[in-house]
Amino acid sequence: MPLSSTCQNCAKSKVRCARLNKQCVYRETGRRFKGFKKDRQIEALESRVNELMTYSKLIPASRTTGGNATHSLNGQEIDETTLDVIAQGLVDMKTAQALIDIYKTDMILHFPFVVISPQVQASDLRQQKPFLFLAVLASAAYSNMPLQRLLGKEMKKVIASRMVMNGEVSFELLQGMLVFLAWSHYHSRPYRYTQFLQLAIGLMVELRLDRPPQTKTWKTAIKFNKEYALDDDKYSRPYWGLDEQRAVVGCYYLSSTIAILLHKPSCFPNITPYLEQCCQSLYDEGEVSHDKYILHIFQLQVIAEKLNNLSWNHGMELGSKGSAAGLYVSNIKSDLDKLRNQLPLGFYETPVMAMQLYSSELCLYQLSLSQKIPLSSAYSIVSETWWGEIFCSGLTAAENILNMYLGLPLGGEQAFNNTQWVQMALCILVASRQVVAASSMGKAALLPQIHTWPETLEKLRQRLEALSTDQVDLDGERDVFVDFEKRVSRIQGWFDCNFDNPEGDLPPRSFAERGDAGLDAATGRPYDTSIAPLDVSGLPPLIGDDFQLAADFFIPSSLEMMTDWL
């Protein structure tokens, strides 16, 4: 600490110490406290300089986007360039162009509902649709996880600013929201998929995209503008062509698939006839090759919804005397078989359509796992032959999904959308339950599936492990594939502990030796009804938070869901 320039003795005696032959004594002095006034002034000046420097960088960009400012509901003009990640220096234009190219060549195959024309460059998209530009960058940057997580947070900031604070409504916001939702598993927790989905559905409703651009109705419109006529029975709205139709069906796809797979209610409007009209229009126009898939994806999802309604509305009737549930199941199976025959040749080379078909089949054929009727029962909804047929068909559907996945080039699954990963999770869980059930049947035809399942799990684990890296984001979190790999490893561990019979011709000892084993309805062989729950300590819970990601759905809180016959 510095010393005072004034001697304490000199000041006190009013005589210099030198004249008195004494040594001067200087006291320590500190800075006089003035409320850090100078520090605050310095900080204010530095902040002002930074603002001026940022503003000077944004001037060229704002000139190029002069006609692209949007307006909130209160008429306030919003300059989108203030949220531009290019101007902030997070991404350069060369990297942005590479990410846009990845989206146009790889990612669009897995989500054909938001199309970017091949002629549109990164600079064009940045100028014309800055929010969609940011959404594509945040989704396609999966090779650089820290950057992707950072861009994902920027997306949430823009959503909060433009949609929540300023109440903006635009078609570009809807397209960006769909892209963000489609690859939401790549972003930071909590995912809040349902909340973001509601924003997208809200945009669709506010833009009146739930109906054709021109409609005629006998209902009285609540309008008070000068041009309004009492006898006006026509309603017209802006129309964005085929892009609009893709977006409407894409919103339905995201809402319906996740609702069914995760047993949640779908909040999408009931506009099935108009959706079918949009899909048919896209199929007939065929503007891009991916438009041909959309009709089949929609038709498969409609069947999946019928299966879902059967489960919730008629599940208690299965096995009841006089119930029509069995006939309903047969009709759905017939519709599914008919649609499968109508799919184009080589459909299995298009993962999004193939997984939609196989997961729909799996949703139907897992019905065989619910057959818990005693053999002495005087009635059954299905014959033993029919039951065995759909059980084997379920094994085949699961095998088709896994073979398709393992046949992809390494890294090809990085472009999978969120729904596809949840479909993979469903496949692994249902297939595990099927293997447990098959092991108790003692049928020679099922032995290959039982023997190869541990090997298949190991292949899945190794593939997911190869996708993960040692990178961490700013919060210290690793990439999502680490979580995927952990779930598969836990299933492996459970099978290693419980399936200890190398011959595979009898149920595992842990099943057959237990006194609380039940009887399989089709074969009379024992199956375990009280498998010990799997230890999932340290993993996020499945309830209490809105985890849409397959990472939290790869394995339930207890293997009862995998082994019990519901």
Side-chain angles (χ1 to χ4, degrees):
M1 185 173 293
L3 298 177
S4 173
S5 60
T6 304
C7 171
Q8 290 182 348
N9 293 333
C10 294
K12 186 176 182 181
S13 63
K14 306 299 181 182
V15 180
R16 291 185 179 276
C17 291
R19 296 183 63 183
L20 300 176
N21 295 321
K22 293 181 179 181
Q23 186 176 2
C24 289
V25 178
Y26 300 97
R27 64 180 176 85
E28 293 182 348
T29 181
R31 176 178 174 181
R32 182 174 297 178
F33 181 76
K34 294 183 179 180
F36 301 110
K37 182 177 180 181
K38 291 184 178 180
D39 287 347
R40 291 172 180 170
Q41 290 175 341
I42 293 173
E43 290 177 358
L45 289 172
E46 290 178 345
S47 176
R48 181 58 179 164
V49 169
N50 291 334
E51 289 179 5
L52 292 173
M53 292 179 65
T54 303
Y55 178 74
S56 64
K57 293 179 180 179
L58 291 176
I59 288 177
S62 63
R63 288 175 181 171
T64 60
T65 59
N68 297 312
T70 58
H71 297 266
S72 64
L73 295 180
N74 58 15
Q76 181 182 1
E77 185 173 289
I78 300 171
D79 186 5
E80 298 171 340
T81 58
T82 59
L83 303 171
D84 189 10
V85 294
I86 302 295
Q88 295 179 31
L90 299 180
V91 181
D92 57 43
M93 285 304 299
K94 182 178 180 181
T95 303
Q97 184 61 58
L99 296 177
I100 297 296
D101 292 340
I102 290 174
Y103 179 86
K104 291 193 288 188
T105 57
D106 299 337
M107 302 178 73
I108 192 65
L109 298 176
H110 301 274
F111 190 73
F113 304 104
V114 179
V115 174
I116 299 176
S117 174
Q119 292 77 27
V120 175
Q121 300 299 307
S123 57
D124 302 325
L125 192 62
R126 180 192 179 197
Q127 176 182 353
Q128 299 166 7
K129 296 184 177 182
F131 184 70
L132 178 59
F133 174 73
L134 175 59
V136 172
L137 297 187
S139 301
Y142 46 72
S143 60
N144 186 343
M145 187 272 288
L147 173 63
Q148 186 173 48
R149 295 278 173 87
L150 189 60
L151 294 175
K153 290 183 177 180
E154 288 296 316
M155 274 290 298
K156 294 178 182 179
K157 291 179 183 178
V158 177
I159 292 170
S161 174
R162 294 183 59 178
M163 296 184 63
V164 179
M165 299 300 296
N166 294 296
E168 289 186 58
V169 175
S170 70
F171 181 67
E172 182 221 349
L173 284 176
L174 175 59
Q175 286 187 307
M177 286 297 299
L178 295 180
V179 172
F180 178 70
L181 284 164
W183 287 277
S184 58
H185 57 280
Y186 275 127
H187 302 302
S188 304
R189 292 176 179 173
Y191 302 113
R192 297 290 183 255
Y193 184 97
T194 300
Q195 287 87 331
F196 285 117
L197 178 63
Q198 293 305 308
L199 290 176
I201 295 175
L203 287 171
M204 190 195 76
V205 173
E206 289 293 335
L207 294 169
R208 301 296 191 270
L209 302 185
D210 56 336
R211 65 196 69 178
Q214 292 185 344
T215 54
K216 190 173 182 178
T217 178
W218 50 266
K219 298 173 65 177
T220 302
I222 302 178
K223 295 181 180 180
F224 295 95
N225 54 334
K226 296 180 179 178
E227 294 78 13
Y228 177 68
L230 292 177
D231 58 349
D232 186 8
D233 57 356
K234 295 181 180 179
Y235 175 81
S236 299
R237 61 165 176 80
Y239 180 55
W240 289 273
L242 297 182
D243 284 339
E244 170 190 310
Q245 296 179 347
R246 295 187 192 100
V248 174
V249 183
C251 195
Y252 163 77
Y253 168 82
L254 293 175
S255 177
S256 180
T257 54
I258 293 300
I260 290 175
L261 291 169
L262 298 189
H263 304 174
K264 291 189 174 186
S266 176
C267 299
F268 193 85
N270 184 12
I271 54 170
T272 302
Y274 180 59
L275 288 171
E276 187 173 5
Q277 179 182 335
C278 291
C279 293
Q280 191 63 53
S281 174
L282 290 167
Y283 184 87
D284 295 338
E285 293 291 337
E287 184 178 66
V288 294
S289 59
H290 320 304
D291 289 343
K292 297 289 185 180
Y293 310 152
I294 293 178
L295 176 61
H296 302 303
I297 292 173
F298 167 75
Q299 292 171 335
L300 288 167
Q301 189 57 32
V302 170
I303 292 179
E305 288 187 339
K306 292 180 180 179
L307 289 168
N308 189 60
N309 292 334
L310 169 66
S311 174
W312 290 113
N313 299 331
H314 304 283
M316 298 299 294
E317 300 175 16
L318 294 178
S320 300
K321 187 175 182 180
S323 171
L327 180 61
Y328 193 44
V329 170
S330 298
N331 290 337
I332 293 178
K333 184 178 183 300
S334 176
D335 292 342
L336 190 57
D337 292 339
K338 181 179 178 181
L339 182 56
R340 182 189 181 105
N341 294 330
Q342 293 175 353
L343 294 179
L345 296 176
F347 71 89
Y348 48 84
E349 297 178 358
T350 306
V352 65
M353 185 161 55
M355 292 186 71
Q356 187 75 5
L357 170 65
Y358 298 145
S359 62
S360 297
E361 292 180 336
L362 207 57
C363 287
L364 171 63
Y365 299 142
Q366 68 174 328
L367 174 68
S368 62
L369 299 175
S370 68
Q371 183 74 353
K372 200 174 180 180
I373 305 171
L375 289 179
S376 58
S377 175
Y379 54 85
S380 176
I381 63 168
V382 292
S383 66
E384 180 178 335
T385 302
W386 188 89
W387 184 93
E389 178 185 341
I390 67 169
F391 183 86
C392 293
S393 297
L395 286 173
T396 301
E399 185 178 4
N400 287 336
I401 293 180
L402 295 174
N403 287 341
M404 184 210 65
Y405 173 73
L406 294 173
L408 292 173
L410 184 62
E413 64 269 53
Q414 288 180 302
F416 274 15
N417 68 54
N418 184 64
T419 293
Q420 289 176 288
W421 281 115
V422 181
Q423 289 170 337
M424 281 291 299
L426 172 71
C427 171
I428 293 175
L429 289 175
V430 174
S432 297
R433 293 182 61 194
Q434 289 172 326
V435 170
V436 171
S439 67
S440 67
M441 296 177 185
K443 293 185 178 181
L446 300 178
L447 292 181
Q449 286 87 344
I450 299 173
H451 284 304
T452 59
W453 183 238
E455 180 184 352
T456 301
L457 286 175
E458 177 60 19
K459 290 180 180 179
L460 285 171
R461 190 199 66 78
Q462 292 179 359
R463 178 151 186 146
L464 293 169
E465 185 181 36
L467 293 174
S468 63
T469 67
D470 295 330
Q471 292 180 317
V472 295
D473 60 16
L474 295 179
D475 298 323
E477 300 290 336
R478 294 184 63 187
D479 59 73
V480 68
F481 298 111
V482 174
D483 293 329
F484 287 2
E485 187 268 335
K486 286 180 181 179
R487 271 61 182 187
V488 176
S489 295
R490 298 226 171 190
I491 296 178
Q492 274 187 292
W494 185 88
F495 272 93
D496 290 343
C497 292
N498 290 277
F499 278 69
D500 50 4
N501 181 14
E503 299 300 326
D505 55 347
L506 293 173
R509 284 200 300 270
S510 59
F511 290 177
E513 293 177 358
R514 295 180 66 107
D516 54 359
L519 290 179
D520 174 70
T523 64
R525 302 295 297 275
Y527 68 90
D528 192 7
T529 60
S530 58
I531 294 298
L534 183 70
D535 178 19
V536 292
S537 57
L539 293 181
L542 288 179
I543 58 176
D545 210 342
D546 186 19
F547 293 114
Q548 305 293 334
L549 187 59
D552 299 310
F553 200 67
F554 257 92
I555 203 164
S557 58
S558 169
L559 274 180
E560 180 182 0
M561 291 179 63
M562 295 174 55
T563 58
D564 224 6
W565 295 63
L566 303 179

